[in-house]
Amino acid sequence: MGFFGLSDAGNMGFASVKNTQNFTDAQLFEKLSAVKVSFGTAQMGDIKGTPAVMYKNATPEFDIFARVHKGNVIMGKIGADGVSSAATALNMGLNMFLERSDDNSSAADRYVDELLSVIKKLEAGEEVTETSAAKTKETVGDGIALYMKQKMLSIKPKFDIFDKDEKTVYHVEGDITRLNFSIQREGTEVLKLKKKLVAIMPEYTIFQGNTEIAKIKKKLKLTKPELNGTVNGKELKIAGNIMGFDFDIQVGGDTIGHVDTDRSFWGDCYRIRVFDESQQDIVAALAIICDNVSDQETSG
């Protein structure tokens, strides 16, 4: 089980946190049964005879599990019932080698991160009844959908973001340096995006008029890139896989948007789902930033 010794490691499909509350598997099940999550209902099960809290068929290919292991609570994704464990492991290995994730794997990674956030709170002695992702899924469903063709920020300094009817919602226009962008809606600038190169890691700042409303910085990691920062004074978290372009945008603990790849619409393009209409401009700007970070990683 050494592979699970990843201390507090999200975005990888596996995680581990210190079992400071000394939960047993039965107590962990009791706690998790009282928490509504976006990927199913907790049930007591086992993994090859070892007791574990299971979320069956969280995706067509993966179950999600959590269990006590020595002094930690470990959690992760595992091949779902009816899916070959060998095939699942091979698929995961190929995804890691190719630095990409398919839809099932990316969704399962996000679910592990969601479960991780719950268990961290339980270990801190907090009461948890529902996750932000579960609340969002129940109240707004799929949200407002926008579409952006891939890698537009890096290819040319002008592009559009469309709705499902191919009507332009945002026009984005950059200067020759590709460091300053104006995000316009119906001919009016709603946000300005500035990219600043600081040593190795770039910083991004979002302005509304002359007021700075968000600052985002790429975090140096040996595996997947991460972004952190603030939006209107609240913590920003990109939860998921930036390189696989399948992630949630969370501000102040609330999921305000989700970005993934839609291959059935104009070939390959990014789908930007907005769960909080009042934050739509911000979600669009953050999707543009993530596209730029992903492109930089790919181009090396």
Side-chain angles (χ1 to χ4, degrees):
M1 300 301 292
F3 186 62
F4 295 108
L6 300 169
S7 178
D8 197 22
N11 291 356
M12 298 180 67
F14 300 95
S16 171
V17 293
K18 202 74 174 174
N19 189 8
T20 57
Q21 298 288 337
N22 295 314
F23 291 133
T24 64
D25 288 310
Q27 290 170 331
L28 188 63
F29 169 62
E30 181 182 0
K31 291 287 187 179
L32 292 176
S33 294
V35 182
K36 182 184 292 186
V37 296
S38 69
F39 50 90
T41 303
Q43 56 183 280
M44 201 65 205
D46 69 89
I47 301 173
K48 293 186 177 180
T50 301
V53 181
M54 304 296 298
Y55 296 84
K56 292 290 189 179
N57 299 108
T59 78
E61 292 183 2
F62 292 101
D63 295 337
I64 304 299
F65 76 90
R67 72 178 185 86
V68 175
H69 176 65
K70 297 182 179 178
N72 298 315
V73 175
I74 61 173
M75 65 217 76
K77 62 186 181 185
I78 191 168
D81 290 345
V83 177
S84 165
S85 296
T88 302
L90 177 60
N91 183 51
M92 289 168 60
L94 286 173
N95 285 339
M96 292 177 66
F97 178 75
L98 297 172
E99 296 185 335
R100 65 164 176 80
S101 295
D102 61 24
D103 292 344
N104 280 292
S105 186
S106 291
D109 288 349
R110 292 199 313 276
Y111 297 153
V112 173
D113 288 350
E114 185 179 342
L115 183 58
L116 171 63
S117 71
V118 172
I119 292 176
K120 285 171 67 176
K121 289 178 180 178
L122 294 176
E123 290 290 358
E126 298 179 30
E127 292 292 327
V128 190
T129 58
E130 184 178 26
T131 65
S132 171
K135 183 177 180 181
T136 298
K137 184 176 182 179
E138 184 176 59
T139 57
V140 301
D142 290 337
I144 300 168
L146 303 173
Y147 299 88
M148 179 174 72
K149 292 185 179 180
Q150 294 183 5
K151 306 297 183 243
M152 297 306 290
L153 183 59
S154 59
I155 294 172
K156 59 183 179 180
K158 293 182 182 180
F159 62 95
D160 293 324
I161 296 175
F162 305 88
D163 65 13
K164 61 182 178 61
D165 298 318
E166 301 189 40
K167 178 183 176 183
T168 298
V169 178
Y170 293 100
H171 175 69
V172 184
E173 189 166 329
D175 63 14
I176 195 170
T177 66
R178 290 188 171 88
L179 298 177
N180 302 283
F181 285 81
S182 172
I183 303 175
Q184 302 165 14
R185 192 170 184 176
E186 296 180 352
T188 301
E189 181 178 86
V190 292
L191 294 176
K192 287 185 290 189
L193 171 60
K194 293 181 178 289
K195 177 181 176 182
K196 181 180 180 182
L197 297 177
V198 181
I200 300 174
M201 296 294 101
E203 288 184 1
Y204 302 85
T205 307
I206 301 173
F207 291 88
Q208 189 173 52
N210 294 319
T211 303
E212 179 184 308
I213 62 170
K215 186 175 285 292
I216 302 96
K217 188 172 183 178
K218 180 183 171 185
K219 185 177 179 181
L220 180 61
K221 288 201 72 177
L222 296 178
T223 54
K224 299 176 182 177
E226 288 186 7
L227 297 176
N228 54 33
T230 57
V231 175
N232 289 319
K234 298 180 179 180
E235 181 185 11
L236 166 70
K237 181 179 180 182
I238 305 296
N241 186 350
I242 294 177
M243 291 302 295
F245 236 75
D246 191 349
F247 53 84
D248 290 331
I249 296 173
Q250 299 174 352
V251 175
D254 294 326
T255 302
I256 64 171
H258 176 79
V259 181
D260 56 20
T261 303
D262 190 328
R263 294 180 175 85
S264 64
F265 200 71
W266 300 324
D268 281 359
C269 70
Y270 298 138
R271 175 175 55 189
I272 306 166
R273 286 186 288 166
V274 182
F275 301 133
D276 182 347
E277 192 172 356
S278 69
Q279 302 269 25
Q280 180 173 303
D281 298 344
I282 287 288
V283 172
L286 291 170
I288 293 168
I289 290 171
C290 290
D291 177 43
N292 185 237
V293 170
S294 175
D295 182 65
Q296 283 186 320
E297 290 289 319
T298 303
S299 60

Short mmCIF file of all heavy atoms in Angstrom, two decimals, residues 106-147:
data_model
loop_
_atom_site.label_atom_id
_atom_site.label_comp_id
_atom_site.label_asym_id
_atom_site.label_seq_id
_atom_site.Cartn_x
_atom_site.Cartn_y
_atom_site.Cartn_z
N SER A 106 -10.97 11.40 -15.33
CA SER A 106 -10.96 12.76 -14.82
C SER A 106 -12.09 12.99 -13.83
O SER A 106 -11.90 13.64 -12.79
CB SER A 106 -11.08 13.76 -15.97
OG SER A 106 -9.92 13.76 -16.75
N ALA A 107 -13.28 12.46 -14.14
CA ALA A 107 -14.41 12.61 -13.22
C ALA A 107 -14.11 11.91 -11.90
O ALA A 107 -14.37 12.45 -10.82
CB ALA A 107 -15.68 12.05 -13.85
N ALA A 108 -13.54 10.71 -11.97
CA ALA A 108 -13.21 9.97 -10.75
C ALA A 108 -12.17 10.72 -9.92
O ALA A 108 -12.25 10.75 -8.69
CB ALA A 108 -12.70 8.57 -11.10
N ASP A 109 -11.18 11.33 -10.58
CA ASP A 109 -10.19 12.14 -9.86
C ASP A 109 -10.86 13.28 -9.10
O ASP A 109 -10.52 13.57 -7.95
CB ASP A 109 -9.17 12.72 -10.84
CG ASP A 109 -8.20 11.68 -11.39
OD1 ASP A 109 -8.19 10.55 -10.86
OD2 ASP A 109 -7.48 11.99 -12.35
N ARG A 110 -11.84 13.94 -9.74
CA ARG A 110 -12.54 15.04 -9.08
C ARG A 110 -13.35 14.53 -7.89
O ARG A 110 -13.43 15.18 -6.85
CB ARG A 110 -13.48 15.75 -10.06
CG ARG A 110 -12.77 16.52 -11.16
CD ARG A 110 -13.71 17.55 -11.79
NE ARG A 110 -15.02 17.02 -12.10
CZ ARG A 110 -15.33 16.36 -13.21
NH1 ARG A 110 -14.40 16.12 -14.11
NH2 ARG A 110 -16.57 15.92 -13.42
N TYR A 111 -13.93 13.34 -8.04
CA TYR A 111 -14.72 12.79 -6.94
C TYR A 111 -13.82 12.45 -5.74
O TYR A 111 -14.23 12.62 -4.59
CB TYR A 111 -15.47 11.55 -7.41
CG TYR A 111 -16.48 11.82 -8.49
CD1 TYR A 111 -16.86 10.82 -9.41
CD2 TYR A 111 -17.07 13.08 -8.63
CE1 TYR A 111 -17.79 11.07 -10.40
CE2 TYR A 111 -18.00 13.33 -9.63
CZ TYR A 111 -18.35 12.32 -10.51
OH TYR A 111 -19.26 12.58 -11.51
N VAL A 112 -12.63 11.95 -6.02
CA VAL A 112 -11.69 11.68 -4.93
C VAL A 112 -11.33 12.98 -4.22
O VAL A 112 -11.26 13.04 -2.98
CB VAL A 112 -10.42 10.96 -5.44
CG1 VAL A 112 -9.38 10.84 -4.34
CG2 VAL A 112 -10.76 9.59 -6.00
N ASP A 113 -11.11 14.05 -4.99
CA ASP A 113 -10.81 15.35 -4.38
C ASP A 113 -11.99 15.83 -3.53
O ASP A 113 -11.80 16.42 -2.45
CB ASP A 113 -10.52 16.38 -5.47
CG ASP A 113 -9.17 16.16 -6.14
OD1 ASP A 113 -8.40 15.32 -5.64
OD2 ASP A 113 -8.91 16.81 -7.16
N GLU A 114 -13.21 15.61 -4.02
CA GLU A 114 -14.41 16.00 -3.27
C GLU A 114 -14.48 15.23 -1.95
O GLU A 114 -14.77 15.80 -0.89
CB GLU A 114 -15.65 15.74 -4.11
CG GLU A 114 -16.94 16.22 -3.49
CD GLU A 114 -18.15 15.95 -4.38
OE1 GLU A 114 -17.97 15.72 -5.60
OE2 GLU A 114 -19.28 15.96 -3.85
N LEU A 115 -14.21 13.91 -2.01
CA LEU A 115 -14.20 13.09 -0.81
C LEU A 115 -13.08 13.52 0.14
O LEU A 115 -13.27 13.55 1.37
CB LEU A 115 -14.05 11.63 -1.20
CG LEU A 115 -14.10 10.60 -0.06
CD1 LEU A 115 -15.40 10.69 0.72
CD2 LEU A 115 -13.90 9.19 -0.62
N LEU A 116 -11.94 13.86 -0.43
CA LEU A 116 -10.81 14.33 0.38
C LEU A 116 -11.20 15.57 1.19
O LEU A 116 -10.87 15.68 2.38
CB LEU A 116 -9.63 14.64 -0.54
CG LEU A 116 -8.42 15.35 0.09
CD1 LEU A 116 -7.78 14.48 1.17
CD2 LEU A 116 -7.39 15.70 -0.98
N SER A 117 -11.91 16.50 0.56
CA SER A 117 -12.30 17.72 1.27
C SER A 117 -13.23 17.40 2.44
O SER A 117 -13.16 18.04 3.49
CB SER A 117 -12.98 18.70 0.30
OG SER A 117 -14.26 18.25 -0.10
N VAL A 118 -14.10 16.40 2.27
CA VAL A 118 -15.00 15.99 3.35
C VAL A 118 -14.22 15.37 4.50
O VAL A 118 -14.40 15.74 5.67
CB VAL A 118 -16.05 14.98 2.83
CG1 VAL A 118 -16.86 14.39 3.99
CG2 VAL A 118 -16.98 15.64 1.82
N ILE A 119 -13.33 14.43 4.18
CA ILE A 119 -12.59 13.71 5.23
C ILE A 119 -11.65 14.65 5.98
O ILE A 119 -11.48 14.53 7.21
CB ILE A 119 -11.85 12.51 4.62
CG1 ILE A 119 -12.88 11.48 4.14
CG2 ILE A 119 -10.90 11.88 5.63
CD1 ILE A 119 -12.31 10.27 3.44
N LYS A 120 -11.07 15.62 5.30
CA LYS A 120 -10.22 16.60 5.98
C LYS A 120 -11.03 17.38 7.01
O LYS A 120 -10.56 17.65 8.12
CB LYS A 120 -9.59 17.55 4.97
CG LYS A 120 -8.46 16.94 4.16
CD LYS A 120 -8.00 17.82 3.03
CE LYS A 120 -7.35 19.08 3.50
NZ LYS A 120 -6.84 19.89 2.36
N LYS A 121 -12.26 17.74 6.67
CA LYS A 121 -13.12 18.47 7.61
C LYS A 121 -13.52 17.58 8.79
O LYS A 121 -13.55 18.02 9.94
CB LYS A 121 -14.36 19.00 6.89
CG LYS A 121 -14.06 20.15 5.94
CD LYS A 121 -15.31 20.62 5.22
CE LYS A 121 -15.00 21.76 4.27
NZ LYS A 121 -16.21 22.22 3.52
N LEU A 122 -13.85 16.32 8.50
CA LEU A 122 -14.19 15.40 9.57
C LEU A 122 -13.01 15.19 10.52
O LEU A 122 -13.19 15.14 11.74
CB LEU A 122 -14.63 14.05 8.99
CG LEU A 122 -15.93 14.05 8.17
CD1 LEU A 122 -16.18 12.66 7.58
CD2 LEU A 122 -17.12 14.49 9.03
N GLU A 123 -11.82 15.09 9.97
CA GLU A 123 -10.63 14.92 10.80
C GLU A 123 -10.34 16.17 11.64
O GLU A 123 -9.70 16.09 12.69
CB GLU A 123 -9.41 14.57 9.93
CG GLU A 123 -9.45 13.19 9.32
CD GLU A 123 -9.28 12.06 10.34
OE1 GLU A 123 -9.10 12.37 11.54
OE2 GLU A 123 -9.34 10.89 9.94
N ALA A 124 -10.82 17.33 11.15
CA ALA A 124 -10.65 18.58 11.91
C ALA A 124 -11.76 18.78 12.93
O ALA A 124 -11.80 19.81 13.61
CB ALA A 124 -10.60 19.77 10.95
N GLY A 125 -12.68 17.81 13.01
CA GLY A 125 -13.76 17.89 13.97
C GLY A 125 -14.95 18.70 13.53
O GLY A 125 -15.83 19.03 14.33
N GLU A 126 -15.02 19.03 12.23
CA GLU A 126 -16.12 19.84 11.71
C GLU A 126 -17.32 18.96 11.36
O GLU A 126 -17.17 17.78 11.04
CB GLU A 126 -15.67 20.60 10.46
CG GLU A 126 -14.53 21.59 10.69
CD GLU A 126 -14.13 22.31 9.42
OE1 GLU A 126 -15.00 22.50 8.55
OE2 GLU A 126 -12.94 22.65 9.29
N GLU A 127 -18.51 19.57 11.41
CA GLU A 127 -19.72 18.89 10.96
C GLU A 127 -19.91 19.15 9.47
O GLU A 127 -19.82 20.29 9.02
CB GLU A 127 -20.93 19.40 11.74
CG GLU A 127 -20.93 19.02 13.21
CD GLU A 127 -21.11 17.52 13.42
OE1 GLU A 127 -21.83 16.89 12.60
OE2 GLU A 127 -20.54 16.98 14.38
N VAL A 128 -20.16 18.11 8.71
CA VAL A 128 -20.36 18.23 7.26
C VAL A 128 -21.65 17.51 6.89
O VAL A 128 -21.87 16.37 7.30
CB VAL A 128 -19.19 17.61 6.46
CG1 VAL A 128 -19.31 17.95 4.99
CG2 VAL A 128 -17.85 18.04 7.01
N THR A 129 -22.51 18.19 6.14
CA THR A 129 -23.76 17.55 5.69
C THR A 129 -23.85 17.45 4.18
O THR A 129 -24.52 16.56 3.66
CB THR A 129 -24.98 18.34 6.20
OG1 THR A 129 -24.92 19.68 5.72
CG2 THR A 129 -25.02 18.35 7.73
N GLU A 130 -23.16 18.34 3.47
CA GLU A 130 -23.28 18.36 2.01
C GLU A 130 -22.07 19.06 1.42
O GLU A 130 -21.58 20.04 1.97
CB GLU A 130 -24.56 19.12 1.62
CG GLU A 130 -24.86 19.15 0.13
CD GLU A 130 -26.17 19.87 -0.16
OE1 GLU A 130 -26.57 20.74 0.64
OE2 GLU A 130 -26.78 19.57 -1.20
N THR A 131 -21.58 18.55 0.29
CA THR A 131 -20.47 19.21 -0.38
C THR A 131 -20.99 20.28 -1.33
O THR A 131 -22.15 20.24 -1.76
CB THR A 131 -19.62 18.21 -1.18
OG1 THR A 131 -20.42 17.67 -2.25
CG2 THR A 131 -19.10 17.09 -0.31
N SER A 132 -20.12 21.22 -1.68
CA SER A 132 -20.48 22.27 -2.63
C SER A 132 -20.87 21.67 -3.98
O SER A 132 -21.83 22.10 -4.62
CB SER A 132 -19.31 23.24 -2.81
OG SER A 132 -19.54 24.14 -3.86
N ALA A 133 -20.14 20.64 -4.41
CA ALA A 133 -20.42 20.01 -5.71
C ALA A 133 -21.80 19.35 -5.71
O ALA A 133 -22.53 19.41 -6.70
CB ALA A 133 -19.34 18.99 -6.04
N ALA A 134 -22.18 18.72 -4.59
CA ALA A 134 -23.50 18.09 -4.51
C ALA A 134 -24.61 19.13 -4.55
O ALA A 134 -25.63 18.96 -5.21
CB ALA A 134 -23.60 17.26 -3.23
N LYS A 135 -24.39 20.22 -3.83
CA LYS A 135 -25.39 21.30 -3.80
C LYS A 135 -25.55 21.91 -5.19
O LYS A 135 -26.67 22.15 -5.65
CB LYS A 135 -24.96 22.37 -2.81
CG LYS A 135 -25.96 23.49 -2.64
CD LYS A 135 -25.50 24.47 -1.57
CE LYS A 135 -26.49 25.60 -1.40
NZ LYS A 135 -26.03 26.58 -0.36
N THR A 136 -24.44 22.13 -5.87
CA THR A 136 -24.49 22.71 -7.22
C THR A 136 -25.22 21.79 -8.18
O THR A 136 -26.07 22.23 -8.96
CB THR A 136 -23.06 22.97 -7.72
OG1 THR A 136 -22.43 23.93 -6.87
CG2 THR A 136 -23.07 23.51 -9.15
N LYS A 137 -24.90 20.50 -8.12
CA LYS A 137 -25.52 19.54 -9.03
C LYS A 137 -27.03 19.49 -8.82
O LYS A 137 -27.81 19.38 -9.77
CB LYS A 137 -24.91 18.15 -8.79
CG LYS A 137 -25.40 17.08 -9.73
CD LYS A 137 -24.66 15.78 -9.49
CE LYS A 137 -25.10 14.69 -10.45
NZ LYS A 137 -24.35 13.42 -10.22
N GLU A 138 -27.46 19.59 -7.56
CA GLU A 138 -28.89 19.50 -7.25
C GLU A 138 -29.65 20.75 -7.64
O GLU A 138 -30.79 20.68 -8.11
CB GLU A 138 -29.05 19.24 -5.74
CG GLU A 138 -30.48 19.02 -5.31
CD GLU A 138 -30.57 18.67 -3.84
OE1 GLU A 138 -30.12 19.48 -3.00
OE2 GLU A 138 -31.10 17.59 -3.53
N THR A 139 -29.03 21.93 -7.47
CA THR A 139 -29.76 23.18 -7.67
C THR A 139 -29.69 23.73 -9.08
O THR A 139 -30.64 24.34 -9.56
CB THR A 139 -29.25 24.26 -6.69
OG1 THR A 139 -27.83 24.44 -6.88
CG2 THR A 139 -29.53 23.87 -5.25
N VAL A 140 -28.55 23.53 -9.78
CA VAL A 140 -28.42 24.16 -11.11
C VAL A 140 -28.17 23.16 -12.23
O VAL A 140 -28.15 23.55 -13.40
CB VAL A 140 -27.30 25.23 -11.12
CG1 VAL A 140 -27.58 26.30 -10.11
CG2 VAL A 140 -25.93 24.61 -10.87
N GLY A 141 -27.97 21.89 -11.90
CA GLY A 141 -27.77 20.90 -12.96
C GLY A 141 -26.56 21.19 -13.81
O GLY A 141 -25.47 21.42 -13.29
N ASP A 142 -26.75 21.23 -15.12
CA ASP A 142 -25.63 21.43 -16.04
C ASP A 142 -25.23 22.88 -16.21
O ASP A 142 -24.20 23.18 -16.81
CB ASP A 142 -25.97 20.84 -17.42
CG ASP A 142 -26.04 19.33 -17.39
OD1 ASP A 142 -25.41 18.73 -16.49
OD2 ASP A 142 -26.72 18.75 -18.24
N GLY A 143 -26.04 23.82 -15.72
CA GLY A 143 -25.69 25.23 -15.81
C GLY A 143 -25.77 25.80 -17.22
O GLY A 143 -26.28 25.17 -18.15
N ILE A 144 -25.26 27.00 -17.40
CA ILE A 144 -25.19 27.67 -18.70
C ILE A 144 -23.96 27.16 -19.44
O ILE A 144 -22.87 27.10 -18.86
CB ILE A 144 -25.08 29.20 -18.52
CG1 ILE A 144 -26.31 29.73 -17.76
CG2 ILE A 144 -24.94 29.90 -19.85
CD1 ILE A 144 -26.15 31.15 -17.28
N ALA A 145 -24.11 26.79 -20.70
CA ALA A 145 -22.98 26.24 -21.47
C ALA A 145 -22.45 27.26 -22.46
O ALA A 145 -23.21 27.85 -23.23
CB ALA A 145 -23.40 24.97 -22.19
N LEU A 146 -21.13 27.46 -22.42
CA LEU A 146 -20.42 28.28 -23.40
C LEU A 146 -19.35 27.40 -24.04
O LEU A 146 -18.94 26.38 -23.46
CB LEU A 146 -19.78 29.50 -22.74
CG LEU A 146 -20.70 30.44 -21.97
CD1 LEU A 146 -19.89 31.50 -21.24
CD2 LEU A 146 -21.71 31.09 -22.89
N TYR A 147 -18.86 27.81 -25.22
CA TYR A 147 -17.90 26.98 -25.95
C TYR A 147 -16.75 27.84 -26.46
O TYR A 147 -16.95 28.94 -26.98
CB TYR A 147 -18.59 26.27 -27.11
CG TYR A 147 -19.69 25.35 -26.65
CD1 TYR A 147 -20.99 25.82 -26.47
CD2 TYR A 147 -19.42 24.01 -26.37
CE1 TYR A 147 -21.99 24.98 -26.02
CE2 TYR A 147 -20.43 23.16 -25.91
CZ TYR A 147 -21.70 23.65 -25.75
OH TYR A 147 -22.71 22.82 -25.30
#
